[in-house]
Structures are given as C-alpha cells and as structure tokens.
Amino acid sequence: MALTPISDHLPPALLEACVVLGASHDRLKELYQVGIPGEKRNNTSGDISVPKDIDLKALPHLCFPDGLQVTNELKEERFHFLVFTDVFGNRTHGVVMQYYRLIMYPILCCNGHGSFHSTRLYSAYGFCVISKYPYYSALKDCMSWTSRLSDMEERVKEFTARLALVPVPPPGPLHVMFSLPPLNIVLPAREDEDCPPVDLDLQISLLCFRPQQLLQVLSSLLQEQRVVLFSADWAQLTLVAESLLLFLKPMSWQHPYVPVLASGMLDFLMAPTAFLMGCHSSHYKDVAAETDDLILIHIDAGTVSRSQCDTVGLPEIPIAAADCFTQRCMSLQLHFQLFQCQRSSCSDINEQRAQKRAWQRSLNMDIQKIMLELMVNIFRDVSSHLNFEHRVFNSEEFLKTREPPEMLFYKMVLETHVFHFFLKDRLNRKMDSFARMELHTRSEMQKLKCMVVNPRRPTMQEIQARRTGCHPEAMLNKRLGMSLPNLGDHPQVTRQTLTKILIYDPSKTQTHTHSLILTRSLKHHVCPLKCMRVFKLPELPASLSLLSIQRFYNELILQLGKAIFCVPPENSALLARFCYLRGLINTLCSRRLEALRDFQNLYKTDTSLFPTQLVAWLVDSLLLEERQLAERRPELKRLFLKPDDHVKKFELPRCCLAREAFVRCVQESGIVKDGPTIQRLFDALTDHVDEKQVDPTLFKDVYTFWKEAEAQDVDLPPEVVDRLDNNECVYKLSSCVKTSHGVGKIAMTQKRLFLLQEGRPGLWEITRFRDITEVKISSSPFLLLRVPSLCIRTACRAEGFEANLKTETGLWDLVIREMWAGRRMADQHKDPQYMAQALTNMLLMDAVAGCLHSQRSIGSASKLAYFDRIKHEVPMMVPEATSQTLKHKINPSQDLAEPQTVHVLLYTPGQLSCSDTEEGGNPKLWVALSGGRVVVFDAASWSMLQDCIQVGNAQLNCMLGVGQDQVWIGSQDSVIYIVDPRSMSCNKQLTEHRHEVTGFAVYNPEQPYSCSAEGIILLWDASSLTVNRQLLLTCDRLSSIQIHNGMLWCCTCYVLNTSWVRLSVCVCSQLGQLWTGCPDSGELCVWHTSDAKRPVKRIPLPGISGVNCMIRVKDQVGGCDQDLRSLVLVVDPGSHAVQKELQAHSDTIHTLCSAEHRYVLSGSGRRDGKIAIWKVD
C-alpha cells in the first residue's frame, strides 16, 4: 500500500508562499513612453508562482486594491492584510507590503514651452507573504526587515529561505522567537487547538467603536447578517474584522469572509447569503444607496447603520449581558503610552519591543475574557436544555425561559450556523474556555439547583429580582440572572499582576527573565496571567542548501534537548511543547523512531498535542529494522475515537408510539429523563387501551400541557413572595374555592400548601408536607347536594383544613398524597432526590389528568403515584442507627436516563484544585461511574461541578489524588488517566501497564505506587511521570496494594466457580493488625502485621453472606455486605464486636471512601446508583 505524502500529515509551516507582483519591465516601458505621473493602471502581469493548493486568482487585485500606481515621487512602504477562504472554510492569511521601485529608463515629458526633459518615475510593487496562520504583526516585522535591503529580489529569496525553516509553536505557553538582525521576532502560540494565534492589537475595535456600537456589530454577526466594513485604511479592515471574529469565540463564523474587496470586486456585495466583507470608505455612499439590508460599519466614523434605512433595526443583545459588557470595557486601559509614561525608556530596541509585547498580551487576554464573559452571559442557559444521550436541543423550551424583549434576538440566533456548531461542542461536552468560565461563575443558587433536578419554575428570588428592575443584576432573566454574581455590589478589584517572560536563548547558558507589572481592573474571577516561555531558535541560514538546512536542524534538535533537560518535571505543559517541537523536527529529518519517542512522551505531559495522523504515518513508514526496534518498546500508536457531532432538534411524533419509541421521544422532549418514570407515564396514557401505543395527538397534548405549565407565571403579591423561601416555586394553583378558612385559591410549592384568601393580603399556610398526618376525601353539604371536599390534618394544628374542590378533589388528593409520601421518604432517607421525584410525579399526574378527558383520568393518573403506592409495600421507617448516622444522599446519575454503578469514590481536600490562587477552594468528591465516566461534586455543598469527564470507555478501578494538581484514575484498559482538577479535563495518560490497573498506594506524595492485574507494581515519580522502580509479584491476579509501616502489602484474588473473587483489605495501624474479608465468606480475618506466623483470628458476621469492601476510619472498621441488603457494618477493632448495622442502599455497595475521617461515603450498584454520606462518631 502506497504511503500518502508526509506533507499531508505535517502541520502547516509558517510560510506557505512569497509572491512579488507588479507590472513587468517591458509592459511599463510600452505604456509609459510619455510619463503621466500619478496615473493608475490595473495591469499587473508578471510571473506568479504559488502552491497548487492555494487559489489566488484575485491576488493581484487584492495586493493593489486601489489599482497599481506609477508616480514621480518615491512613496513609503505601506502594509495591509488579506484573508483567503476556500470552499471548505479553511482560511489562509496574507500580509502585503506595497513598495515603489525606480523605473530604470528615461522618460521624456513636455514642460509646456515646447521643450522636453527627462524625469524619474516610480512603479508600485506588491510583496505578499502567505501563511496558514494569522501572524500579522510578526510577518509585518519580517517584511519590514526586507524593505531596508537594496536588492529586493535576491533578499526575497533569502527571506523565503529563512522563514521556511521556522516552526510554528503548538498551542500552549511556549512561544517561538527567531532573529532577523537587529529585530527579534516572536510567534505567539495559540491558546488552544481551536483558537487562532492572537498576533494583533485587539483594542483596535474598542478604540474605533463605543461599547454600544460594538454590541450592535456583534449582534449582527451572531444573527448572521450581511455585514460590510468601511475604512480609508486598507490595513484596518482586516485587523478589525479579525478582532470581531475573535470576539465571537466560541462561536465560529461559517459564511463568506473577505475583509478586503478591491474596487473591481464590489459586485460581491450583491451575494444573497450572510457574509462579512470590507471595502474602501470612498464607496460608502454608493453601497448604502444601491443595496438593501446590508449592515454598514464605518470604522473611521465609528458608526453602525443599515443600507437604505435610518436605524439598524436588529434585535439587541440582552440588556443584562450588555450592561455588564459596557462596565467591563470602561475598566480597560487601552493606551500603552499611559502605561509607559512613568517608566524609564529602554535603550535597547528588542527590550522595548518585549515590554510592549508583554503589555499587549496582558491587554489582549483581558479583552478576550470580557468578550468570553459576554458570550457566557448570553448563552449560559443553553446547556440546561440539552439532552446529551439523544443529542437533542429543545429550542422551544429554551425560548420560553427568555424574557419578552429578548425573545426575537434568541429566535434569530438559534437558527444560525454559528449557533449550530456551538451546539455540537456543547453536546460533545467540550471543556473549552466557555465551559470553564460558565462553571467558575455559577452563583450559589445555580449550584443549589445542581443538587437536585426539579422541574423548571421561577423561584421566589427570581420573581423578586424581576420586580426590582432598577438594578442591573435584577434585570437578568430567569437563569441568566445568576450568571454575573455580585455585579454592581462590590467595587472593582484592581490587581497588579507580575507577568514573567522567560526567554531561552540557545546561544547562552542562562534564561533571561523580563518582568512587567501590569495593573488590571477585572473582577475577582479573572485569573492572573500565567508565566510564558519564549524559545529562541538558532540563527537562521541564509540559503536553502541541503548542508545549511541539516546544520540548522541538528542545532535546533540539540537546543530543544537542552531545553527539555532544563525544564522542571512539574512543568509538564512546557515539557510537552518542547517534546512536540523536537518530534516535529525529527520527523522532518527522517528520524522516525526518535520522533515517535518524542510524541509518546506527550501521553505523560499533554495528550491534547498528540498528532494522531502524523504518528500513524510514521508507524506505517517504519523500515523493517526500525519496526523491529519499535516492537521492543512500549506501544507508540494510540487510537482516538471520533466524537459523534450530529445535532438533532426535537420534533413531535407523527405516528403512534410503542413503549420503546415513547421512552426515547419523552427523553428527547426534555420532559423527564428517568426511564422508570417514563414507563409509568406510558402505562398511565395507555390505561384502558387495547393497543398499548400512545397516539401522537395525545403525546402533543401532554407535551403542550407540560410546557404551558412550565411557562405559567403565577402573579403573587409581594407580601406573599416575602413569606416564602428564596428557592420555592409555585407548581400548582387551584381555582377559587370555599374552604374552612374562607374563600381563596390553594397553592402548592415543593415544601408546603398555602391559601391565597380573597380580599385579604398575604397567605395563610395550610401545612408543610412533612407535618401532614392525614389526607382524605369527604363530602360537605351544599344546598340539597353533597359536594366532594378534601380534608387535611396536620401535626401543627388540632383542627383540620377542608376545601370544597369539587371536580378537582380527586386530583388534589392524588398529588398531595404523593408529595406527602415523597417528603416522608426524603426526610427518612435524607435524600432530596425523593422529593424531586415526587414533584415530577405530581406534575405528570396533573398533565395526564388534564389531557385524558374521561371519567377514568384520575385512575390513569394514579399509576404515577409511585411513592404513595410503595409506602404500603416497603417500610417507611429507617432504623434508628441508620437515621442517626446517615447525613445525606446524592445521586451522581441525576442527568442520566438510568442509574449507573458507582465503582470508585475519591475525596480530595479543598486546596487540591486551587494551589495557585489566593483563596482555597472547596473539597471535591470524584465519582467513577460505568463506561469511563467521572462525575465531580463540590463536597461543601454537594452540588455537581462537572457531570461528565470521559476517560476512556472501560470500567474504572481506582483513583488517587497526587500532589496538588493531579487525580490519577486506573482503568481496565491498562491506562492511568490523569485529570487536571482546575480545567476538569484529562490531558495526560500513563501507558506503562500492560493489563488492567487495579490499585494505587502512596507513602511519599511524590512517589505513588500503581499495580496491575498480572502482578506488576510500578513506583512513579509524580513530577516527571516516569517509572523509578518496577516490581513483579508472582500471583494469579493482583487486586490492590496498601502501605503500612514502610511495607507494601499486596492483595490477590482467587478463583471460585470460574470467577475471580476479590479480597477486601484494611490496616489497623494502632493495633498492628491487617483485616481482610471476601465476598463469599461471612467472616472477617484478622492478621498480625508484626508476626505473620501467628494464627489468624476469625470474626463471624451472623446473617452476612460476604464482605464486598472495607475501610478504616479513626478507631473503627467499616465493611459492606455482599448481599442486596447492602448493610454497612461498623466493627470495633478492640472488641471485634459489630457496633452498628447501617442500611441506606437498595443494591450492593461497591466502594467506600473517607472524607478527612469525619465522614464515610458509600457508593452502590446500578439498581440504586446513589452515594450515602455517613457521620463518623
């Protein structure tokens, strides 16, 4: 099989092409035998040679957008910038320098008196450098270097030879510097793989437009309008356009993009599709008069208008997000001169340029964070309307949560291509800068909502916020309202940030550090700038001879090796960039094995840089001898799964739905995710129906009823809102009825029932659900009839409450009983999910009863009364020992359709994820579920921080917190995945194990142990991620390891009925004992660690068939029963007596975890799938 060219797999080089354009010598001589100074000519014939994959037919016109000029004056060089887009949307960037050259022959001109004299004419030429990367400032500096040279054509060849060898830095903290004496030129790295490098002054747009106008421009781009930029300066067109597209991140512009239109290309503006283009301001009036529905942006005047219209006429960005953006912009310092006026001048030009670069980088990052915050505030709520399992976005439900003035803006944006691609990233759970900022800026209310999944209704806090519209934060809509915590409540925090620029010069033995104090006034959640590293390349050769290139590459590989040696092991991000660059250069030098070794190191440093296609090509291109050598080394080639990137919008069904199709359709609709609940809903809708199918009309009725109920906004008096808790929502409201306490409406929240009395202010509380003692239906006399009424008795009052609900009595009886039962179970089991589930059941009963217009509707709705039914089937009372010890329960599968098995739990203390910040963070609970899924909870509030970190697809066996910035996760696929707690992403892997990783142990925090099933034990250096020592234990299967008194204790499995049986082990240090248990034996074995020959003491556990896992906390040993009874046994190590039997799960407990010896957490199998939090006495 023939190999594809290596160029198809290498990342693009800095230089794609260099083109010199202008009229030929013969053509100029022919046209200008009589000189006409200043006349424009569009003839640009010449020899143009460009790479075959770049279509540059319009290049001459773009290099001379206002025509080629011949003048009698020598003009200064001028620069402008170009962007080319191919049919696949790939962009190529160009930097054009126009310069003038003397026409080398005499021209005769008439002087007006009948005589002639000779004059000198200068013709314009264009020097265009084309690159796949938008390095506008760097390439402009390079071309400025060529402008000082006398022999342009020869110098262009030298320039091309030098730039062709410059490698482009990978995404991350490493920039590349090279020298064109006397200038040092820096290529900044990209922030991440999906973002272009920022090599321009982003404040140019903020200097040209006021914040209000800039918001109009961004709004028009988000709505995919036909946008035209105007300026008298060709360079500004591209720079402003590029900055605007950067401001849209994470949105990506998908339409035609031509920031510079030559005078002969104005017909492009007649295109019917959305576009972003730019042209000279001299065409402004003509374009405005002759076109329709164009958004005209005049950069020089700072105005935004619509062609043939007095106003822009587009929906505006939501006011709360816009107000925050405006305040942020006011805090920026946009002028370097103001920063520099109090500082001494630099005598060295490169030092001065470095200082300016550092200031500009700081300002660019501040501007990008402000723009990102704007996008987060606009689109924060999108993720709460996504169904990840079916990849569905419920746009109708999302729109119903918007405020009326914002509705049109969101309607238009939701139909755009940029939003569609944004949805793909959200459905793929992409942990990009948008996701990180959204996570870090959640308010306490939003974190509280993550603890349980309640149906959406406005809370009392949100109702109060809408009524106090004078405050900017109060004008935020329902869930956007919490996206800007403390906006306007605290003064801005002015922070001085020390930005360090470390320059590694291969010609010197020391690393130079430039420090720059930058004052920034962003809010407290903006992180300080990180230290960046600049790697200086060796001197570039002046020619492209083979010997010169080889000498340069050899020197570069040598200097990269020195840089790798000097990088401290804990700086894995920088180490990864050096390894990537060296692997790239080794590939170019055909050193395939060395290149594979460098790329293999990326698994330990940063897997996001791993060049999968290039590595696959290298493996296929290995010679026989190289392949034999490679087979003796660890595996070099890793397969990556391509994510599913399709996006589906929910549509109502058009045919009858069987049970399976009904479950899928309900989950896609966003009504409910829980599979068993949907099954009960199906039974309710098909009750008394012969064919067990749901008619599409009935489904539409239920869906409409549910969504209308969600959108219903109960108008409560202010005095009522003040009496309710901030997080309470009104879920059901009766009609006006007669009660034992007057006429009024009965309202139901998730906590209580209360009466809104007619003609009286405030509310009268009927009861809280936990205080109800009896609910029954009776009848009360009305004239000659007896009207059905509902009687409620409560523990707080001697007299009962009675309401003549008439035809509503049956439904209210059902829903109150369900909420009562749910509250009792939630209180007994200390699990708020029970109440949330009861609330969902209540709303579904309401929907079923409202859609089934028959006498049997109440009977059908009763099939959803799950908790009211099971309270008669299972005991409601929890044993006293369990009730006293159990603190709380959480559900890690709350966003999934079915519960998942909790395989491993890990508690990490508060400082783990905040080692580089001033304030310590909250502790975290890491939960490993089935299929390589990791969920992270805030262990202070038990709210979910991250609902999915995907680490492979195999079962996860063990987890360990290593140092301050790593969480190690061992998997059945033999890989140790390393998660960064700050970014909540997995970007490192350890692949030294050949079989599944089964356990971790740590004695020295910097030297953890890991073990795998075949008996291999590895001792690691946590900072360098290298193996210090390897041990081989001869056994059938190694299941876990522990360290006690400097000894490594290894636990193995044995075979029982062809299945592996895993032992559970814990060590009691004070007593010098080792305790073991196994799933097939109802006893514990106690070994003496000091004398292995002493007889083993056996502790029988009556009624227990086996022990699944064990843990020691303080002076107690906890073990879990193997049976479905899922008992937690607390044993006294001294007396060997069982002190407590605790039960809070309905499935086998698979893992136990200690939280600072104050709590023990237990995780159960998929039939229960929950985590119980126990207090330790």
Side-chain angles (χ1 to χ4, degrees):
M1 182 180 65
L3 285 174
T4 56
I6 188 175
S7 58
D8 294 345
H9 308 284
L10 286 171
L14 171 64
L15 188 67
E16 287 285 301
C18 284
V19 184
V20 179
L21 302 100
S24 66
H25 182 86
D26 294 337
R27 186 61 172 162
L28 284 172
K29 186 174 182 180
E30 174 187 345
L31 292 176
Y32 292 98
Q33 290 298 325
V34 177
I36 311 176
E39 183 169 337
K40 297 181 181 180
R41 298 288 181 180
N42 289 320
N43 243 317
T44 55
S45 61
D47 183 17
I48 300 176
S49 177
V50 297
K52 62 180 180 180
D53 57 339
I54 300 179
D55 183 11
L56 298 179
K57 295 179 180 179
L59 184 61
H61 299 282
L62 296 174
C63 286
F64 305 100
D66 50 359
L68 189 149
Q69 297 184 4
V70 175
T71 69
N72 58 5
E73 294 179 358
L74 180 62
K75 295 185 177 181
E76 292 184 354
E77 295 84 5
R78 292 184 300 169
F79 290 86
H80 66 274
F81 310 98
L82 305 174
V83 180
F84 314 96
T85 308
D86 63 17
V87 294
F88 301 106
N90 301 314
R91 292 174 187 161
T92 305
H93 307 268
V95 180
V96 180
M97 180 180 71
Q98 282 191 27
Y99 64 97
Y100 286 80
R101 191 166 63 180
L102 178 65
I103 300 175
M104 299 303 295
Y105 47 84
I107 298 295
L108 299 179
C109 294
C110 178
N111 60 9
H113 300 284
S115 61
F116 293 85
H117 69 278
S118 178
T119 186
R120 301 169 68 89
L121 295 181
Y122 298 88
S123 176
Y125 285 82
F127 177 27
C128 181
V129 174
I130 300 170
S131 174
K132 289 292 185 183
Y133 303 95
Y135 284 119
Y136 298 119
S137 298
L139 292 176
K140 178 184 176 183
D141 289 343
C142 294
M143 298 171 75
S144 300
W145 175 78
T146 63
S147 67
R148 303 181 303 104
L149 307 174
S150 55
D151 189 353
M152 174 62 72
E153 292 184 1
E154 289 302 319
R155 290 304 184 178
V156 165
K157 293 180 181 179
E158 179 184 343
F159 171 82
T160 304
R162 294 189 178 202
L163 260 62
L165 300 177
V166 175
V168 174
L174 180 65
H175 304 337
V176 168
M177 175 190 290
F178 60 95
S179 179
L180 292 176
L183 298 180
N184 288 334
I185 298 170
V186 174
L187 299 180
R190 293 166 286 170
E191 182 180 349
D192 56 55
E193 186 64 32
D194 298 324
C195 293
V198 180
D199 191 31
L200 70 159
D201 300 346
L202 291 182
Q203 72 268 30
I204 185 172
S205 294
L206 294 170
L207 293 172
C208 293
F209 303 102
R210 298 191 304 274
Q212 293 76 11
Q213 278 66 48
L214 188 54
L215 286 170
Q216 287 182 316
V217 176
L218 296 176
S219 177
S220 63
L221 293 174
L222 287 173
Q223 297 173 59
E224 293 187 345
Q225 298 295 306
R226 300 156 67 211
V227 180
V228 187
L229 305 175
F230 294 90
S231 177
D233 186 345
W234 293 106
Q236 283 193 22
L237 290 173
T238 301
L239 296 179
V240 170
E242 287 285 283
S243 65
L244 292 175
L245 296 189
L246 284 171
F247 295 164
L248 291 181
K249 294 296 180 181
M251 305 290 183
S252 178
W253 184 256
Q254 304 292 326
H255 294 281
Y257 172 48
V258 188
V260 173
L261 286 176
S263 300
M265 304 168 67
L266 294 181
D267 56 327
F268 283 24
L269 300 180
M270 305 304 294
T273 184
F275 57 72
L276 175 58
M277 299 186 186
C279 59
H280 199 274
S281 57
S282 60
H283 305 294
Y284 182 85
K285 292 184 179 179
D286 294 337
V287 172
E290 298 179 11
T291 57
D292 295 327
D293 293 329
L294 293 187
I295 303 299
L296 309 178
I297 302 172
H298 201 304
I299 297 174
D300 302 338
T303 60
V304 182
S305 60
R306 183 188 286 268
S307 58
Q308 298 187 356
C309 186
D310 296 334
T311 60
V312 176
L314 284 178
E316 296 181 351
I317 286 176
I319 187 171
D323 288 345
C324 174
F325 171 79
T326 302
Q327 292 183 26
R328 295 281 197 260
C329 290
M330 298 297 292
S331 68
L332 291 173
Q333 173 56 264
L334 303 177
H335 300 280
F336 179 67
Q337 290 77 8
L338 295 178
F339 165 79
Q340 190 67 18
C341 62
Q342 295 182 355
R343 291 165 175 82
S344 60
S345 300
C346 299
S347 57
D348 182 78
I349 183 174
N350 283 316
E351 184 178 351
Q352 183 179 13
R353 283 162 54 85
Q355 195 176 57
K356 173 65 165 60
R357 275 196 305 268
W359 176 86
Q360 188 62 57
R361 176 175 179 265
S362 173
L363 178 60
N364 282 351
M365 292 187 67
D366 285 349
I367 294 174
Q368 287 179 284
K369 283 170 181 167
I370 289 174
M371 297 302 172
L372 179 61
E373 185 185 48
L374 174 65
M375 294 298 133
V376 169
N377 292 335
I378 295 174
F379 299 108
R380 177 186 292 276
D381 280 352
V382 167
S383 59
S384 61
H385 295 83
L386 296 176
N387 184 295
F388 293 96
E389 182 180 2
H390 301 288
R391 298 188 62 82
V392 173
F393 171 62
N394 199 319
S395 57
E396 291 185 6
E397 182 181 346
F398 173 79
L399 288 174
K400 288 178 181 178
T401 63
R402 305 301 95 189
E403 296 294 338
E406 307 165 358
M407 188 75 70
L408 186 56
F409 170 81
Y410 282 106
K411 279 185 177 180
M412 296 190 67
V413 172
L414 263 56
E415 298 299 324
T416 61
H417 287 80
V418 295
F419 184 77
H420 179 81
F421 281 86
F422 170 77
L423 280 183
K424 284 186 178 181
D425 289 338
R426 298 316 109 201
L427 287 169
N428 290 334
R429 301 180 188 273
K430 184 176 181 180
M431 184 50 66
D432 54 8
S433 55
F434 178 93
R436 288 191 291 270
M437 179 172 281
E438 190 277 330
L439 177 66
H440 294 155
T441 56
R442 286 179 182 172
S443 68
E444 292 303 320
M445 180 61 71
Q446 288 168 330
K447 292 178 182 178
L448 185 63
K449 289 182 179 180
C450 293
M451 295 177 62
V452 293
V453 180
N454 283 329
R456 299 181 182 91
R457 296 293 190 278
T459 64
M460 296 303 110
Q461 187 181 49
E462 291 165 347
I463 291 175
Q464 286 179 324
R466 288 206 304 269
R467 287 176 175 170
T468 56
C470 57
H471 193 277
E473 186 176 20
M475 293 191 296
L476 300 172
N477 70 34
K478 298 173 185 174
R479 273 157 296 280
L480 175 62
M482 296 298 109
S483 67
L484 305 175
N486 305 323
L487 174 60
D489 293 340
H490 299 282
Q492 291 181 343
V493 179
T494 300
R495 174 181 297 177
Q496 284 193 331
T497 303
L498 177 63
T499 299
K500 290 185 179 180
I501 308 169
L502 304 178
I503 302 179
Y504 181 82
D505 189 341
S507 63
K508 301 176 182 179
T509 58
Q510 293 184 347
T511 298
H512 304 282
T513 302
H514 295 281
S515 297
L516 180 64
I517 301 293
L518 302 174
T519 301
R520 305 192 298 136
S521 56
L522 290 180
K523 292 263 182 140
H524 56 85
H525 65 263
V526 178
C527 300
L529 290 177
K530 295 183 179 179
C531 177
M532 67 176 183
R533 185 73 174 265
V534 179
F535 176 74
K536 188 173 182 180
L537 301 179
E539 289 298 324
L540 300 174
S543 68
L544 282 177
S545 66
L546 181 60
L547 184 60
S548 298
I549 294 175
Q550 288 178 342
R551 187 182 299 114
F552 171 76
Y553 280 152
N554 289 336
E555 180 67 17
L556 179 55
I557 291 173
L558 179 64
Q559 299 302 335
L560 285 169
K562 291 180 179 179
I564 291 172
F565 179 78
C566 294
V567 174
E570 60 272 11
N571 195 346
S572 59
L574 185 59
L575 193 62
R577 273 72 195 168
F578 282 130
C579 288
Y580 175 88
L581 284 176
R582 191 172 68 174
L584 200 60
I585 304 304
N586 278 323
T587 301
L588 294 173
C589 296
S590 298
R591 300 174 180 177
R592 288 177 282 269
L593 286 180
E594 288 80 0
L596 288 173
R597 188 184 301 113
D598 286 328
F599 292 141
Q600 173 68 16
N601 287 332
L602 297 178
Y603 278 105
K604 298 180 180 180
T605 51
D606 192 343
T607 56
S608 64
L609 294 181
F610 190 81
T612 307
Q613 294 183 350
L614 179 58
V615 169
W617 184 91
L618 285 170
V619 172
D620 293 339
S621 66
L622 289 174
L623 301 177
L624 179 60
E625 297 81 4
E626 293 174 328
R627 185 174 295 274
Q628 290 173 348
L629 288 174
E631 288 174 352
R632 300 172 194 164
R633 299 176 181 177
E635 189 177 0
L636 299 173
K637 183 180 178 181
R638 287 284 169 180
L639 299 178
F640 288 83
L641 296 176
K642 183 178 179 181
D644 183 6
D645 61 353
H646 81 275
V647 179
K648 180 180 177 183
K649 287 191 176 182
F650 173 69
E651 295 181 355
L652 289 169
R654 301 178 182 177
C655 58
C656 292
L657 299 173
R659 185 180 294 269
E660 184 177 348
F662 178 80
V663 171
R664 184 184 67 253
C665 201
V666 171
Q667 289 174 341
E668 290 181 0
S669 71
I671 297 176
V672 199
K673 292 181 181 178
D674 181 55
T677 302
I678 302 175
Q679 298 280 1
R680 292 191 290 271
L681 177 61
F682 180 83
D683 293 336
L685 295 176
T686 57
D687 192 27
H688 307 296
V689 177
D690 295 334
E691 294 185 5
K692 296 298 182 180
Q693 290 184 334
V694 175
D695 184 80
T697 303
L698 178 58
F699 186 95
K700 180 180 180 181
D701 292 342
V702 173
Y703 176 80
T704 304
F705 190 98
W706 179 275
K707 296 304 176 184
E708 288 179 349
E710 277 192 346
Q712 181 182 3
D713 197 353
V714 180
D715 187 16
L716 297 176
E719 54 270 19
V720 174
V721 174
D722 294 338
R723 288 276 304 276
L724 301 177
D725 296 340
N726 282 340
N727 63 339
E728 274 191 274
C729 308
V730 175
Y731 288 94
K732 188 171 177 59
L733 190 67
S734 75
S735 57
C736 193
V737 297
K738 180 182 178 181
T739 72
S740 56
H741 286 78
V743 177
K745 295 181 179 180
I746 300 175
M748 174 189 291
T749 72
Q750 68 267 45
K751 296 182 178 181
R752 73 187 95 198
L753 295 168
F754 61 88
L755 180 66
L756 297 172
Q757 296 171 303
E758 287 288 321
R760 296 184 183 179
L763 61 85
W764 186 82
E765 184 173 297
I766 300 172
T767 181
R768 290 178 178 262
F769 289 114
R770 59 167 48 95
D771 297 330
I772 295 177
T773 57
E774 183 184 16
V775 178
K776 66 178 182 179
I777 296 177
S778 63
S779 60
S780 59
F782 180 74
L783 298 178
L784 300 178
L785 303 175
R786 298 195 66 84
V787 179
S789 63
L790 186 66
C791 295
I792 303 173
R793 293 195 175 275
T794 174
C796 300
R797 295 188 185 91
E799 72 280 5
F801 174 82
E802 185 173 357
N804 300 336
L805 287 162
K806 303 178 184 177
T807 57
E808 299 180 60
T809 303
L811 180 58
W812 274 91
D813 176 63
L814 271 181
V815 298
I816 292 176
R817 285 179 179 276
E818 181 69 5
M819 294 292 286
W820 175 27
R823 172 48 64 192
R824 287 184 61 190
M825 291 198 68
D827 290 345
Q828 291 284 343
H829 296 271
K830 300 183 180 178
D831 185 354
Q833 284 293 325
Y834 283 123
M835 196 60 200
Q837 182 62 54
L839 184 58
T840 299
N841 295 341
M842 181 274 291
L843 294 172
L844 289 174
M845 286 189 282
D846 199 17
V848 169
C851 296
L852 294 179
H853 306 291
S854 67
Q855 296 179 350
R856 298 177 176 178
S857 61
I858 301 301
S860 299
S862 65
K863 293 186 175 294
L864 289 158
Y866 175 70
F867 292 113
D868 186 48
R869 183 175 68 253
I870 66 170
K871 74 178 182 182
H872 302 292
E873 301 173 1
V874 298
M876 292 286 289
M877 294 300 297
V878 174
E880 183 179 357
T882 298
S883 180
Q884 292 176 351
T885 310
L886 182 63
K887 181 178 185 293
H888 193 61
K889 289 181 76 175
I890 55 178
N891 181 14
S893 305
Q894 65 184 28
D895 289 332
L896 303 177
E898 301 288 343
Q900 300 290 312
T901 299
V902 179
H903 291 285
V904 192
L905 293 172
L906 172 68
Y907 173 89
T908 57
Q911 71 273 12
L912 178 65
S913 64
C914 298
S915 59
D916 59 348
T917 59
E918 298 174 1
E919 14 178 296
N922 290 335
K924 291 179 175 56
L925 176 66
W926 302 75
V927 184
L929 303 178
S930 303
R933 185 188 188 103
V934 178
V935 176
V936 186
F937 286 87
D938 183 334
S941 64
W942 301 118
S943 61
M944 187 179 290
L945 291 178
Q946 184 65 28
D947 60 356
C948 181
I949 302 175
Q950 196 67 38
V951 287
N953 296 287
Q955 178 180 315
L956 305 177
N957 293 331
C958 48
M959 292 194 290
L960 178 69
V962 178
Q964 297 296 311
D965 55 0
Q966 294 180 6
V967 171
W968 289 23
I969 304 175
S971 173
Q972 282 189 354
D973 61 9
S974 78
V975 177
I976 298 175
Y977 297 93
I978 300 180
V979 176
D980 182 351
R982 284 184 290 271
S983 64
M984 295 287 183
S985 60
C986 176
N987 55 8
K988 299 176 186 176
Q989 300 176 15
L990 303 178
T991 57
E992 276 70 8
H993 284 291
R994 304 269 69 83
H995 291 77
E996 66 172 289
V997 182
T998 55
F1000 292 120
V1002 61
Y1003 180 70
N1004 180 347
E1006 295 299 321
Q1007 293 185 326
Y1009 288 86
S1010 66
C1011 67
S1012 51
E1014 82 280 21
I1016 294 292
I1017 302 173
L1018 301 180
L1019 173 63
W1020 296 89
D1021 184 324
S1023 58
S1024 63
L1025 300 182
T1026 55
V1027 177
N1028 287 346
R1029 190 178 179 187
Q1030 177 174 318
L1031 305 174
L1032 175 60
L1033 181 68
T1034 303
C1035 63
D1036 292 329
R1037 181 179 174 84
L1038 180 59
S1039 63
S1040 65
I1041 53 177
Q1042 289 193 24
I1043 296 178
H1044 172 58
N1045 286 342
M1047 303 288 290
L1048 187 65
W1049 294 77
C1050 306
C1051 181
T1052 63
C1053 299
Y1054 61 91
V1055 179
L1056 179 66
N1057 297 329
T1058 71
S1059 299
W1060 290 104
V1061 178
R1062 180 179 183 273
L1063 296 177
S1064 301
V1065 180
C1066 72
V1067 178
C1068 296
S1069 304
Q1070 298 86 346
L1071 301 177
Q1073 296 176 348
L1074 181 82
W1075 292 50
T1076 63
C1078 60
D1080 65 331
S1081 175
E1083 63 180 11
L1084 299 177
C1085 297
V1086 181
W1087 308 73
H1088 294 275
T1089 58
S1090 58
D1091 186 2
K1093 295 182 179 180
R1094 290 181 61 178
V1096 177
K1097 180 174 180 58
R1098 300 181 182 274
I1099 304 174
L1101 303 174
I1104 303 300
S1105 63
V1107 178
N1108 207 41
C1109 50
M1110 298 173 62
I1111 192 173
R1112 180 188 64 83
V1113 181
K1114 292 184 178 179
D1115 57 350
Q1116 297 175 332
V1117 175
C1120 294
D1121 182 13
Q1122 167 68 13
D1123 292 340
L1124 294 182
R1125 290 193 305 160
S1126 60
L1127 292 178
V1128 177
L1129 304 179
V1130 181
V1131 182
D1132 181 8
S1135 63
H1136 297 170
V1138 176
Q1139 294 180 329
K1140 294 180 182 179
E1141 288 189 4
L1142 311 174
Q1143 185 175 14
H1145 296 286
S1146 57
D1147 199 354
T1148 304
I1149 297 175
H1150 287 259
T1151 179
L1152 291 171
C1153 164
S1154 171
E1156 301 178 357
H1157 293 283
R1158 294 190 300 144
Y1159 302 103
V1160 169
L1161 299 93
S1162 58
S1164 63
R1166 67 187 308 269
R1167 277 186 288 266
D1168 180 73
K1170 294 185 179 181
I1171 300 170
I1173 303 165
W1174 308 89
K1175 293 181 291 186
V1176 177
D1177 296 334

